[in-house]
Amino acid sequence: MVGLSCGENHFIQGGIAQDLRCDGRKRLAYRPISVETGVIPQANGSARVRMGATDVIASVKCRLNFESQACCNLIKEKSRYILTAVQLQSQLLRSHSIGFRGRGGDELAAELSIALQRCLLGGKSGTAVVLMLVFFFSGAGINLSSLIVVERKICWDLYIDGLVVSSDGNLLDALGAAIKAALSNTGIPRVQVAAETSNNEQPEVDVSDEEFLQFDTAGIPVIVTLTKVGRHYIVDATSEEESQLSSAVSISANRQGNICGMTKRGGVGLDPSIILDMISAAKHVSDQVINKLDSEIASAEAEEES
Amino acid sequence: MEKEIRGIQLPLSQTQKVRLKKALELLQSLSLKVNVDASVVVADTITVDHEDGVLKGHGTADLNGEVVATICGVVERVNKLVYVRALRSRYKPEVGDIVIGRVVEVAQKRWRLEINYCQDAVLMLSSMNMPDGVQRRRTAVDELNMRCIFEENDVVCAEVRGFQHDGLHLQARSRKYGKLTRGQLLTVSPYLVKRQKQHFHHLEEFGIDLILGCNGFIWVGEHIEATDDMVEDQVNQSDPQVLLPGKNSVSLEEQEKSYTTLETRKYICRAANAIRVLSTLGFNITLEIIKGIIDLSLSMNLDIHDMLGSEFCVLVAEKEAERRSSNKKKR
């Protein structure tokens, strides 16, 4: 990423302080988001999200997992056994722009994939919702039971991959939106299991090519990153504005207005009152973003079908 | 939703697509009359009079005795030289071009600037006016104080002096050249900025400065009078001394007082968005067109960020088509 001179930095900070950023946006305004679904035909679901010059692609691949015994984690929740049948691996492949060459790209990729994984799946213990400064699981993401084929034997594994085509700041938000769009585009093939097999044999499965089950993605959260520059914070920072950040807080919120995860980066400490302020701003912004994103996804899917 | 008309990436609705296509076709028809014969594609034969010895220049090749174009472009003939000029190529510096560059390195007695060319340009210390304005030999102390003049990542405006043995040399001997602060730098494709008489524009009614660099870097900023403000820092220094580059720890309040005023900032953002729209549409960037776009957006009372939306882009294309056709009719 190209450095900026003192004069340009001063100009950017002045803009943020006066609520008029370099491209005329207000502090809490997003760039226009455009969504395309079904960009990768071989994947079960895929989406491409553009926010200004930031361009990301997310794809979802499903695979049947016959060794459920090995991967299942029994989580008791309200007297129901849910097998976490999802293995989320979001691996960010290195983008080709200059700032990501060498070590920087790998570190950023690792950071983003961990943040996304925690946002959608979370740690192993999904019980107490303690607000720690770590991306966190609240079970509000995907309905995991929809991925079970045969209880305790066969389940679907989801592999979610993200690719940054070009970066102009705000990668985490764009990736979160892309994953949400890709999951709503995902079709899990219908599986017919041959009945009457004994417990230790592998059942025969017939994976249908025609019928697909859609996910219910209304519950998937959307990530909103608030970047603090000087005294004010902005949403959807471009890479020039991000170079000025003192700290950035990313909050994932879902449609009900619940916070599903939170993470902070940047070396400067924040006063707790500022964090609460940021959370309420993020909730307010995330409502608009969720509505916008849902309508974009719906129109993208309609376009794809037509 | 993302359909590309002529490579333009905008989410356009059906009616907007139709309007944009119409405007672009009108523009194309206006310009087609000019150079139909001269434009060539790769492997087109160039009609050449073989009796006069012909010099085959850039972009041509000899194939079976025929002169054939190797790139897509326009054929230019200068006396006996025949060459093909590409329409969209990298920036090619010429002597006297105004360019804007970013300092990448402070080296011995020179600064290296990145100017969107295949090499970095060199600005010699001797090609700069000294802060105290006196014409003198540059001493070792001057060399040590180079960072006080330009540091890394500074945006500098200069003029192309020529090609020397070690690269492209620039000079900044006038008051209007030098470091640019209080504004923003935009990058567009270099072929959109054509060489004109004036590249420094001061829009009085908005109070902003607009510098159109021939290399595709465009500066939009607050208007600063071309005075040697560096003189004030040094006026009390009687003896030459090594100065520390000023990383003043200015407090937040003082910084806030020195921000650009909101009014000027609005115009700066409008001008910047106008240039972004022109860059998206691929139109040439001149002062007249920029002023037209700003006036159009002001007359529509358009929110500054909405200038980057698809509706405004289509309007700009239509207006440009209208303007060019009316210009043609006048002639």
Side-chain angles (χ1 to χ4, degrees):
Chain A
M1 229 243 345
V2 184
L4 293 176
S5 68
C6 291
E8 286 170 292
N9 286 342
H10 187 74
F11 188 78
I12 293 176
Q13 285 166 13
I16 294 173
Q18 293 169 345
D19 205 13
L20 183 67
R21 287 149 82 174
C22 284
D23 52 1
R25 280 185 289 160
K26 299 251 169 253
R27 285 196 279 262
L28 297 178
Y30 262 86
R31 283 172 285 190
I33 306 175
S34 76
V35 174
E36 246 177 276
T37 53
V39 288
I40 303 179
Q42 303 95 324
N44 292 82
S46 58
R48 178 177 195 168
V49 164
R50 264 183 264 248
M51 273 190 196
T54 302
D55 200 349
V56 300
I57 300 182
S59 78
V60 176
K61 270 298 254 173
C62 318
R63 206 188 56 154
L64 275 179
N65 189 340
F66 291 100
E67 294 116 40
S68 295
Q69 306 292 337
C71 79
C72 78
N73 296 319
L74 281 173
I75 295 180
K76 210 173 187 171
E77 193 180 274
K78 297 187 187 159
S79 78
R80 213 166 51 128
Y81 285 106
I82 297 180
L83 295 166
T84 57
V86 177
Q87 275 171 1
L88 270 181
Q89 285 173 354
S90 35
Q91 278 169 349
L92 196 61
L93 305 175
R94 201 175 318 160
S95 82
H96 298 290
S97 65
I98 296 176
F100 297 119
R101 283 204 201 123
R103 284 269 184 80
D106 288 335
E107 281 172 19
L108 179 61
E111 190 189 311
L112 283 167
S113 61
I114 290 178
L116 287 166
Q117 187 165 0
R118 289 203 181 134
C119 175
L120 285 179
L121 177 62
K124 291 250 171 92
S125 66
T127 49
V129 183
V130 172
L131 198 68
M132 294 195 298
L133 289 178
V134 140
F135 260 127
F136 192 82
F137 170 44
S138 74
I142 309 170
N143 184 9
L144 302 169
S145 55
S146 60
L147 294 170
I148 302 174
V149 176
V150 173
E151 288 251 350
R152 292 172 210 263
K153 285 225 190 94
I154 312 178
C155 61
W156 282 108
D157 276 347
L158 285 184
Y159 292 88
I160 302 186
D161 292 301
L163 172 69
V164 173
V165 174
S166 79
S167 158
D168 190 23
N170 210 22
L171 283 177
L172 199 55
D173 291 16
L175 282 165
I179 290 179
K180 187 173 163 90
L183 284 170
S184 43
N185 181 240
T186 304
I188 312 264
R190 205 182 279 283
V191 180
Q192 249 106 30
V193 185
E196 310 310 322
T197 46
S198 69
N199 264 345
N200 291 336
E201 278 177 20
Q202 278 213 350
E204 286 167 24
V205 289
D206 174 32
V207 180
S208 137
D209 275 334
E210 306 297 320
E211 295 165 29
F212 291 95
L213 297 164
Q214 295 284 117
F215 260 146
D216 174 28
T217 56
I220 296 189
V222 121
I223 309 179
V224 171
T225 304
L226 288 156
T227 312
K228 186 159 188 289
V229 176
R231 257 185 245 229
H232 308 271
Y233 36 87
I234 55 177
V235 140
D236 195 12
T238 61
S239 49
E240 292 155 349
E241 291 164 342
E242 266 185 4
S243 67
Q244 305 285 301
L245 71 81
S246 53
S247 52
V249 176
S250 300
I251 298 170
S252 77
N254 67 8
R255 198 170 260 285
Q256 283 82 32
N258 297 332
I259 307 278
C260 303
M262 224 173 97
T263 192
K264 174 198 176 290
R265 49 180 225 272
V268 178
L270 288 176
D271 198 56
S273 57
I274 298 189
I275 295 198
L276 292 172
D277 211 12
M278 281 179 155
I279 291 179
S280 58
K283 267 180 66 169
H284 172 68
V285 172
S286 66
D287 283 335
Q288 300 165 2
V289 176
I290 288 183
N291 287 336
K292 182 119 193 291
L293 198 55
D294 282 341
S295 70
E296 290 285 323
I297 294 175
S299 60
E301 303 240 312
E303 175 109 355
E304 197 201 345
E305 275 158 35
S306 66
Chain B
M1 209 189 294
E2 301 272 337
K3 288 294 163 60
E4 298 193 9
I5 303 180
R6 204 199 187 193
I8 300 174
Q9 300 223 350
L10 281 173
L12 297 167
S13 74
Q14 207 50 39
T15 44
Q16 285 171 338
K17 264 184 245 170
V18 167
R19 284 162 60 197
L20 186 60
K21 266 213 170 106
K22 222 174 111 186
L24 291 175
E25 273 162 19
L26 180 57
L27 283 168
Q28 223 170 354
S29 66
L30 287 170
S31 60
L32 251 184
K33 305 193 182 123
V34 182
N35 267 332
V36 172
D37 303 323
S39 57
V40 286
V41 174
V42 179
D44 272 358
T45 332
I46 302 175
T47 47
V48 146
D49 207 358
H50 284 282
E51 281 79 34
D52 304 340
V54 73
L55 282 176
K56 297 178 266 289
H58 284 298
T60 62
D62 197 356
L63 193 66
N64 302 331
E66 297 277 328
V67 179
V68 162
T70 51
I71 55 176
C72 305
V74 170
V75 173
E76 305 270 349
R77 292 163 208 268
V78 179
N79 298 337
K80 291 205 178 139
L81 174 66
V82 175
Y83 66 97
V84 182
R85 177 177 56 87
L87 293 167
R88 294 185 188 192
S89 58
R90 221 176 223 288
Y91 169 56
K92 269 209 195 97
E94 294 191 8
V95 178
D97 272 356
I98 311 281
V99 294
I100 300 181
R102 204 183 272 281
V103 176
V104 282
E105 194 196 333
V106 180
Q108 259 195 338
K109 286 212 186 63
R110 69 200 66 188
W111 291 276
R112 277 195 206 282
L113 285 89
E114 194 241 315
I115 56 164
N116 206 15
Y117 179 50
C118 51
Q119 341 167 310
D120 285 337
V122 166
L123 178 62
M124 303 291 296
L125 178 57
S126 47
S127 315
M128 273 287 309
N129 279 340
M130 277 291 104
D132 49 7
V134 173
Q135 299 276 11
R136 56 181 168 77
R137 265 192 92 150
R138 313 290 184 248
T139 61
V141 177
D142 288 322
E143 208 179 318
L144 290 169
N145 290 339
M146 275 175 83
R147 275 228 163 73
C148 296
I149 307 179
F150 297 141
E151 266 199 301
E152 272 91 356
N153 288 328
D154 273 348
V155 177
V156 177
C157 173
E159 191 188 18
V160 174
R161 189 185 195 185
F163 283 92
Q164 245 89 14
H165 56 96
D166 57 348
L168 180 67
H169 278 236
L170 307 175
Q171 58 119 337
R173 273 201 177 283
S174 166
R175 282 215 183 133
K176 51 186 183 172
Y177 301 130
K179 182 149 73 169
L180 298 170
T181 55
R182 306 182 77 83
Q184 48 176 323
L185 184 71
L186 302 161
T187 308
V188 303
S189 301
Y191 60 87
L192 295 176
V193 183
K194 304 282 185 239
R195 288 183 179 95
Q196 318 213 285
K197 290 204 184 81
Q198 266 276 41
H199 286 269
F200 290 88
H201 303 287
H202 167 42
L203 291 99
E204 285 106 3
E205 62 269 24
F206 305 134
I208 61 177
D209 265 345
L210 185 62
I211 305 180
L212 301 169
C214 301
N215 57 340
F217 286 176
I218 299 183
W219 176 263
V220 187
E222 199 183 326
H223 176 64
I224 300 179
E225 289 300 324
T227 52
D228 267 330
D229 49 0
M230 290 186 274
V231 179
E232 297 150 25
D233 295 337
Q234 306 225 3
V235 86
N236 295 327
Q237 310 268 350
S238 47
D239 310 318
Q241 21 184 299
V242 179
L243 304 156
L244 293 167
K247 275 264 153 61
N248 304 324
S249 52
V250 189
S251 74
L252 203 53
E253 286 81 28
E254 285 176 35
Q255 266 198 337
E256 278 179 11
K257 280 185 211 144
S258 64
Y259 286 149
T260 323
T261 56
L262 190 58
E263 273 311 301
T264 326
R265 194 178 282 279
K266 282 190 185 157
Y267 290 127
I268 294 180
C269 290
R270 266 191 212 274
N273 277 355
I275 296 173
R276 288 186 183 111
V277 165
L278 285 175
S279 167
T280 318
L281 288 169
F283 291 162
N284 279 340
I285 298 181
T286 61
L287 178 67
E288 200 187 311
I289 304 182
I290 296 176
K291 265 194 178 163
I293 298 181
I294 300 181
D295 290 332
L296 176 66
S297 75
L298 284 171
S299 66
M300 287 172 51
N301 258 334
L302 201 58
D303 199 28
I304 301 181
H305 183 56
D306 290 336
M307 284 173 76
L308 297 174
S310 19
E311 179 58 34
F312 190 67
C313 286
V314 174
L315 272 175
V316 166
E318 288 174 345
K319 199 113 201 284
E320 176 65 14
E322 218 180 281
R323 190 189 71 94
R324 273 201 219 166
S325 59
S326 66
N327 272 356
K328 247 191 150 204
K329 282 180 199 147
K330 274 187 213 162
R331 277 195 229 141

